[in-house]
Amino acid sequence: MDFKILQQNINKSMQCNISWNGERVFEVVDKGFTHYVDIVRRTCSCRAWQLKGIPCPHGVAALHYKQNEPIHYVASCYNKETYLRTYEYVIQPMNNMNMWPPSVNPTVQPPPVKQLPRRPSKARRKEVNETNRTGKLNKCGAVMTCSNCHTKGHNKRGCHILPTVPTQTATTFTQAQVNVSIVINI
């Protein structure tokens, strides 16, 4: 994986322009942006070299300018020897959580909730028996009456009796038809 990233950075470094800026610092221009590369400290102003541990395209361009191999500037954590040293010790399995000895330390409690400072409210704090709404009566305890069947306990939407709608007959005429028939009779 690291060799693939390094190979991509080598290909991208072909598009960089390099200016020497001292013994170990280089000024690299890539796509209109200027980056400063320090070979000894293995840093670049794009910070990709520090984050990944693999020379970025700007660092690769500076290393090629000094005729150094970029593979020698890859962080040691990517080496095979480092990987093998990391896992050379056998990790012993642990007992189940139920088999752990009980702790004598007190349980950790969350910190107390503290009200943070904020902007003061404009409305005054009302007493317990005061209503929150002014100018309107509370509907608590009011009994609904249905406007369809006029019984108490439900409203029109919950009514079980369907409203009667008068049906139109075929003999109903529009105003235009009446006017036409009046004109013809005259």
Side-chain angles (χ1 to χ4, degrees), residues 22-85:
E23 188 171 325
R24 63 181 192 180
V25 179
F26 291 89
E27 190 174 310
V28 181
V29 178
D30 181 25
K31 297 177 186 172
F33 295 102
T34 304
H35 300 282
Y36 297 100
V37 178
D38 188 350
I39 293 177
V40 175
R41 292 192 335 195
R42 298 181 183 200
T43 59
C44 179
S45 61
C46 75
R47 295 181 37 197
W49 196 350
Q50 295 96 301
L51 291 174
K52 294 181 184 176
I54 301 170
C56 62
H58 320 113
V60 171
L63 290 170
H64 279 273
Y65 183 83
K66 288 291 272 186
Q67 297 177 351
N68 293 335
E69 280 296 319
I71 194 78
H72 300 302
Y73 287 86
V74 175
S76 64
C77 64
Y78 293 107
N79 293 343
K80 182 180 176 182
E81 294 80 25
T82 307
Y83 176 80
L84 292 175
R85 262 197 334 262

Side-chain angles (χ1 to χ4, degrees), residues 72-137:
H72 300 302
Y73 287 86
V74 175
S76 64
C77 64
Y78 293 107
N79 293 343
K80 182 180 176 182
E81 294 80 25
T82 307
Y83 176 80
L84 292 175
R85 262 197 334 262
T86 303
Y87 293 104
E88 73 181 358
Y89 301 105
V90 178
I91 299 172
Q92 298 298 326
M94 292 185 65
N95 290 336
N96 188 355
M97 201 169 170
N98 296 332
M99 301 171 109
W100 291 356
S103 176
V104 294
N105 297 331
T107 58
V108 179
Q109 298 296 324
V113 178
K114 186 168 72 169
Q115 179 105 17
L116 296 176
R118 63 177 184 201
R119 186 177 198 156
S121 61
K122 291 184 178 181
R124 68 177 181 85
R125 292 185 184 144
K126 298 188 177 185
E127 296 293 327
V128 177
N129 57 358
E130 279 187 283
T131 60
N132 290 340
R133 304 167 86 191
T134 56
K136 291 186 178 181
L137 294 176

Side-chain angles (χ1 to χ4, degrees), residues 133-159:
R133 304 167 86 191
T134 56
K136 291 186 178 181
L137 294 176
N138 192 356
K139 289 189 175 184
C140 183
V143 179
M144 290 186 277
T145 305
C146 178
S147 62
N148 190 22
C149 66
H150 301 290
T151 56
K152 294 186 185 277
H154 66 276
N155 59 7
K156 186 177 182 179
R157 286 175 46 191
C159 188

